[in-house]
Amino acid sequence: MRHAVRNTGAVVGLAFALAALAISPALAVSLQRFHAARDGQDIEISAPRADILRVRIGRSGLPEDASWAVVDAARTATTPIDVADDGVASVLTTPALQARLNKSTWRLTVVDPAGHTILADTDSGALDFHNGGFRLRKAMPVDAHYFGLGDKTGGLDRRGQAFTLWNTDAFGYGESGDPLYKSIPFVLGADELGHAFGLLLDNTWRGFFDFGKSERDTLSFGAEGGPIDYYVLAGPDAKAVVKQYAWLTGAAPLAPMWALGFQQSRYSYKNEAELRDIADRLRADRIPADVLYMDIDYQDRNRPFTVNPKAYPDLAKLFADLRGMNLRVVMITDLHVADAPNAGYSPYDTGKAGNVFLKNPDCSDYVGLVWPGNAVFPDFSRSSVRDWWGGLYAGFHAAGAAGFWNDMNEPAIFQRRDRTMPLETVHHIEEPGFAARTASHSEMHNVYGMLNSRGTYEGLLKIAPDERPFVLTRASFAGGQRYAATWSGDNSSTWNHLKLSIPQLINLGLSGFGYAGDDIGGYGGSAPSPELLTRWIEIGAFNPIFRDHVATDKPRQEVWVHGLEQEAIRRRYIEERYRLMPYLYSLAEENSRNGMPLMRPVFLEFPDVLAKGWDFGGTMDQFMLGADLLVAPPSAMESPAAYGVRLPGAGWYDYWSGLRLAGAATEEIPALDRMPVFVRPGAIIPRQPLVQSTGETPKGALELAVYPGDSCRGELYLDDGVSFAFQRGAFLRQKVTCASGQGGVTMTFGGREGDFKPWWNGFTIVLHGWTASNATAFLNGLAVNVVRDPRMQTLTIELPDISSLSVLQIGA
Ligand code: GLC
């Protein structure tokens, strides 16, 4: 077997020569890209950065080097790799990993500098080609667990299951339904020692991931066509993988703060009076809320970008009035354009004039049946078409709509058994970085929804360059977090769907989509019981996106529908979310920097729970909101049986009482009004006075709830919540730490970064876990007043606003 090594980087001639000489390790050569060929196949291995390996394989020449998922700067980056030849294998080394490529079999093994295997091909048959598609096989160690793939059903761990990547309008999907709306070919693997790696297959075709289901101990993945182009992210731990993935595919831009508020939706509030009623009731009942949705019935005959003037006669007035109540409106704008020539329907007319629609193989426009009846479909893989699409938002934006909802973008087609368009439908790729060419729907299907939301996002940015767009999309692909938030589609009003939402949202977060939610209360099925809707709201209050939404044929599902007693419980949880807004918002800001999801599996913060063999951090249902709050819903939510909560380590605090727990586990009785939440010892959590909307400025002091423990820290982040002024310095960032010792606690306030002026007039420090019988406090050496509550074991200290380095010394 011939094995030629060639460098596609700078030192081609040298590498050629060394390959011919069969170099020894001592004669390692530094390359930007390693290239080998055998039997007509080509392989290229590069390291976009030292801890990420990229592998491309082609059957006849390397595949096109282009991507919808990976950002250009990451895809084209290379870091030097030392390449040596030990006779059997080419040995490729970076400071963070080493890859061995067997010269005759091309079996690839990636290890870390300590020799621990990150990811290795199976011993034999590691790559098969069949019918234009391929399957790669990696060994699955017994102690490895797999996460990611977006909101696929099943438990948190993908091990033992297999999934299809094919965006699907999965209305009424069951607890193990697959495929669903999104395809995110990214997996995070973690073993029981806490080693973690990532694997991204950058291929848009119908694909699959099989975690030892069809072949024992084998992780196989592949696609029906397209390039073999995958990345191995070397970790070494799960947080590092999340950051590496964000570096490759981009982090979600910081959302407007209002997107973190409570959102009320329904298919549909059929007219202006209904929508105003909802707004009035939210305010009358003092249910904090930020967003109302307008689903398809506001439109004229379901035609996107039209309004039925009888139902909604004056959008601008409506939106202005609602804004006066601190409520914003998100409008649905599906991507199917009604096939309505000569009807004065401008999306069709301008689209037709610009020849923007997808084609049948005979060059006619492809027509499919969706909500408006026959419809045509924009070709979002042409950047000029995305520009045209983005321009369609000018009118609704000018009227005052705050955000947009891109639904049905798998794309969903009603009349066909496969629920989508024929695979031969013709797309045109006209995109910087890609060769201009036609592409079949087989290739473009899985990215179609993402490109739809990209057109929307980028269009909104052009219309209002200093306003953070909010786009909600149903279908997407790896990297889609750069353009839109998402939700898990048409779930059902069942306890099992509520339970399922937790691993779905956690895995979406690990797959880049930090902003993810589900239809609170359930979309389809029969109406939720009062208890189910209440629990759903309690859990949703700790999810990144918090939207109550329900299908058209179902009864009302707003917070108040089951009477005062249920409403009071629900209100308390929604209020708590608003009190936690400073914490939530700082998580969103962190997500925008490094991809860290807002909602996290426990093992992301506490990798040793994997070693303990816990179900990835306590029960399968536990999750973290940020690094500090652990939410522990009942494990059998509908049953009144007591259940155990396992906490990673001792000394946690009960969030609601603020009291410190004695051990590392508690027994919970699932009273309907209690959602157990615990605080990490060492957390400093900012909370604000209650407001009814993020549009309302809180009054008074910012509370800093301090829960002493190891690595005690908190971070404040604030900006105007809506514009990009934070990129120009109008933000506030401040680190606060605390240390316990010598019978006291010392809090250190760092200096403030940024020049944004906060709303608060001071800090209220609430120190938890104080058991001594007296207390004193000194701010920078000067005594300050302390109020001790022995029953709640708290100290409360009112301070002025502190913006420069300061020390608060608390002692007995
Ligand atoms: C789809 C969406 C759902 C929406 C409906 C009408 O089923 O998933 O959320 O309400 O279409 O637009």
Side-chain angles (χ1 to χ4, degrees):
M1 205 158 284
R2 205 167 42 80
H3 180 91
V5 178
R6 177 162 60 80
N7 175 22
T8 51
V11 281
V12 177
L14 174 67
F16 251 136
L18 288 172
L21 292 171
I23 54 169
S24 73
L27 285 175
V29 42
S30 175
L31 303 180
Q32 298 297 321
R33 292 191 162 87
F34 166 87
H35 187 189
R38 60 157 204 194
D39 300 339
Q41 293 176 18
D42 286 76
I43 186 168
E44 184 190 86
I45 302 179
S46 60
R49 52 185 235 186
D51 53 4
I52 300 178
L53 203 69
R54 181 182 184 195
V55 181
R56 301 167 65 221
I57 300 174
R59 266 164 125 168
S60 48
L62 289 171
E64 181 180 1
D65 189 356
S67 177
W68 301 106
V70 176
V71 297
D72 282 348
R75 185 178 51 78
T76 56
T78 53
T79 194
I81 342 176
D82 286 334
V83 180
D85 186 328
D86 70 1
V88 179
S90 299
V91 183
L92 284 53
T93 309
T94 77
L97 55 81
Q98 186 168 76
R100 289 174 55 85
L101 181 73
N102 182 296
K103 292 196 292 180
S104 58
T105 64
W106 276 10
R107 179 169 180 263
L108 181 71
T109 304
V110 186
V111 301
D112 69 16
H116 174 86
T117 300
I118 296 170
L119 191 63
D121 283 355
T122 49
D123 286 338
S124 58
L127 169 60
D128 280 348
F129 289 104
H130 49 86
N131 301 332
F134 61 90
R135 175 186 287 259
L136 289 144
R137 290 183 177 78
K138 306 285 179 188
M140 250 175 60
V142 283
D143 69 338
H145 305 284
Y146 301 91
F147 309 93
L149 295 188
D151 51 359
K152 295 294 193 188
T153 54
L156 199 54
D157 187 358
R158 306 296 185 202
R159 197 179 173 101
Q161 303 172 72
F163 301 91
T164 299
L165 304 182
W166 186 248
N167 291 2
T168 301
D169 175 6
F171 172 76
Y173 68 88
E175 281 170 66
S176 42
D178 185 63
L180 299 185
Y181 307 87
K182 281 168 276 292
S183 298
I184 307 179
F186 172 68
V187 169
L188 184 154
D191 70 19
E192 292 178 2
L193 294 174
H195 295 293
F197 73 92
L199 173 64
L200 169 66
L201 174 63
D202 192 3
N203 177 304
T204 63
W205 294 60
R206 185 183 176 106
F208 66 91
F209 275 79
D210 183 327
F211 301 88
K213 184 172 187 190
S214 62
E215 293 175 57
R216 183 187 301 277
D217 299 333
T218 301
L219 161 58
S220 61
F221 59 99
E224 285 184 353
I228 301 181
D229 185 350
Y230 69 95
Y231 295 80
V232 180
L233 289 56
D237 56 24
K239 278 200 167 176
V241 173
V242 166
K243 291 178 187 166
Q244 286 153 355
Y245 184 67
W247 183 82
L248 277 177
T249 64
L254 181 58
M257 194 192 285
W258 56 262
L260 298 173
F262 179 60
Q263 313 191 4
Q264 182 61 55
S265 182
R266 172 177 180 79
Y267 170 22
S268 305
Y269 295 121
K270 292 206 188 303
N271 55 51
E272 173 171 336
E274 270 191 42
L275 200 68
R276 285 181 185 272
D277 275 353
I278 298 297
D280 290 342
R281 181 77 189 258
L282 285 165
R283 292 302 176 236
D285 286 19
R286 299 200 61 76
I287 306 294
D290 268 77
V291 190
L292 299 176
Y293 276 69
M294 285 169 56
D295 205 332
I296 55 173
D297 292 310
Y298 76 82
Q299 304 168 121
D300 174 17
R301 287 163 286 171
N302 287 337
R303 295 180 177 182
F305 300 100
T306 66
V307 179
N308 172 354
K310 285 207 192 86
Y312 284 90
D314 189 347
L315 282 187
K317 169 112 187 21
L318 172 66
F319 293 164
D321 291 350
L322 293 173
R323 191 65 76 87
M325 303 168 75
N326 283 321
L327 288 166
R328 288 178 156 86
V329 176
V330 172
M331 301 175 80
I332 200 167
T333 50
D334 289 342
L335 78 181
H336 38 244
V337 169
D339 183 19
N342 310 316
Y345 175 47
S346 120
Y348 181 86
D349 295 340
T350 57
K352 188 73 186 165
N355 196 23
V356 306
F357 301 120
L358 294 179
K359 303 290 180 218
N360 293 309
D362 68 3
C363 295
S364 58
D365 289 344
Y366 168 73
V367 177
L369 187 70
V370 212
W371 297 124
N374 278 342
V376 287
F377 298 81
D379 188 351
F380 294 107
S381 43
R382 296 165 59 195
S383 61
S384 60
V385 173
R386 294 200 304 275
D387 283 349
W388 161 83
W389 171 263
L392 297 177
Y393 286 90
F396 287 164
H397 182 271
F404 296 95
W405 174 16
N406 290 158
D407 190 18
M408 306 295 276
N409 49 5
E410 293 71 30
I413 308 284
F414 289 158
Q415 85 273 27
R416 291 176 49 89
R417 281 243 176 97
D418 63 2
R419 303 189 198 181
T420 197
M421 55 182 57
L423 300 181
E424 330 59 84
T425 310
V426 182
H427 300 240
H428 289 80
I429 297 179
E430 291 167 15
E431 174 72 11
F434 282 82
R437 58 184 172 87
T438 60
S440 70
H441 192 64
S442 300
E443 176 179 349
M444 300 311 294
H445 176 86
N446 280 342
V447 283
Y448 191 65
M450 169 166 95
L451 293 174
N452 167 221
S453 64
R454 177 173 172 184
T456 308
Y457 181 85
E458 291 175 349
L460 291 170
L461 270 185
K462 278 194 190 136
I463 291 167
D466 201 25
E467 196 180 296
R468 293 178 222 169
F470 176 75
V471 181
L472 184 70
T473 190
R474 192 170 72 177
S476 202
F477 187 73
Q481 70 273 6
R482 301 194 296 268
Y483 316 113
T486 193
W487 89 107
S488 57
D490 298 341
N491 60 359
S492 299
S493 299
T494 67
W495 288 102
N496 286 342
H497 263 272
L498 170 55
K499 206 174 154 72
L500 174 65
S501 72
I502 296 170
Q504 281 189 303
L505 300 185
I506 289 176
N507 276 315
L508 267 172
L510 292 174
S511 311
F513 283 85
Y515 298 112
D518 61 341
D519 285 351
I520 300 289
Y523 181 77
S526 41
S529 67
E531 293 77 13
L532 177 57
L533 181 56
T534 296
R535 272 284 183 233
W536 217 312
I537 289 172
E538 291 174 1
I539 292 173
F542 298 94
N543 291 163
I545 295 287
F546 187 23
R547 184 181 75 135
D548 179 330
H549 181 56
V550 63
T552 185
D553 50 349
K554 283 177 66 178
R556 289 305 191 91
Q557 199 161 290
E558 291 86 22
V559 175
W560 47 81
V561 293
H562 295 119
L564 289 178
E565 204 181 317
Q566 298 295 334
E567 184 182 6
I569 303 173
R570 297 167 186 171
R571 181 192 297 107
R572 269 209 290 119
Y573 283 85
I574 299 173
E575 287 179 346
E576 200 57 39
R577 182 180 179 94
Y578 277 80
R579 290 203 181 88
L580 277 170
M581 194 55 75
Y583 176 70
L584 209 55
Y585 192 57
S586 68
L587 297 179
E589 194 273 337
E590 182 187 7
N591 176 261
S592 73
R593 278 184 285 122
N594 62 19
M596 216 48 66
L598 289 73
M599 179 169 165
R600 307 175 183 174
V602 179
F603 76 78
L604 194 63
E605 294 298 329
F606 300 95
D608 57 340
V609 300
L610 291 166
K612 290 182 184 151
W614 294 6
D615 299 339
F616 324 110
T619 71
M620 200 70 115
D621 312 293
Q622 291 180 195
F623 65 90
M624 301 209 58
L625 183 63
D628 298 329
L629 295 182
L630 187 151
V631 184
S635 38
M637 295 197 202
E638 66 278 46
S639 94
Y643 66 103
V645 176
R646 283 190 282 190
L647 299 163
W652 285 65
Y653 297 79
D654 180 291
Y655 176 74
W656 305 107
S657 72
L659 293 173
R660 193 157 200 176
L661 308 173
T666 73
E667 188 74 358
E668 290 287 337
I669 315 286
L672 182 60
D673 63 351
R674 178 167 161 83
M675 174 55 57
V677 178
F678 302 93
V679 188
R680 178 181 72 84
I684 299 177
I685 298 195
R687 291 165 90 244
Q688 69 182 23
L690 182 61
V691 286
Q692 295 298 308
S693 161
T694 65
E696 183 186 328
T697 306
K699 288 182 196 63
L702 180 77
E703 178 186 317
L704 292 178
V706 183
Y707 303 86
D710 287 347
S711 59
C712 179
R713 59 180 152 35
E715 182 159 312
L716 303 182
Y717 177 82
L718 190 68
D719 58 29
D720 68 16
V722 288
S723 81
F724 289 101
F726 70 92
Q727 294 175 345
R728 305 183 293 270
F731 66 93
L732 178 159
R733 188 194 306 283
Q734 186 171 21
K735 294 195 165 63
V736 187
T737 58
C738 90
S740 315
Q742 296 153 12
V745 173
T746 305
M747 283 183 74
T748 306
F749 298 80
R752 230 167 239 179
E753 290 168 53
D755 53 25
F756 186 75
K757 296 272 167 294
W759 51 262
W760 57 78
N761 57 17
F763 289 142
T764 301
I765 310 296
V766 180
L767 178 73
H768 292 271
W770 188 264
T771 49
S773 55
N774 58 335
T776 57
F778 296 87
L779 178 63
N780 296 331
L782 295 176
V784 288
N785 193 41
V786 187
V787 177
R788 191 169 63 87
D789 183 336
R791 200 174 57 91
M792 302 317 289
Q793 303 180 354
T794 57
L795 298 182
T796 302
I797 304 166
E798 303 288 351
L799 298 178
D801 189 26
I802 298 172
S803 58
S804 55
L805 184 64
S806 297
V807 176
L808 178 68
Q809 198 85 45
I810 303 167

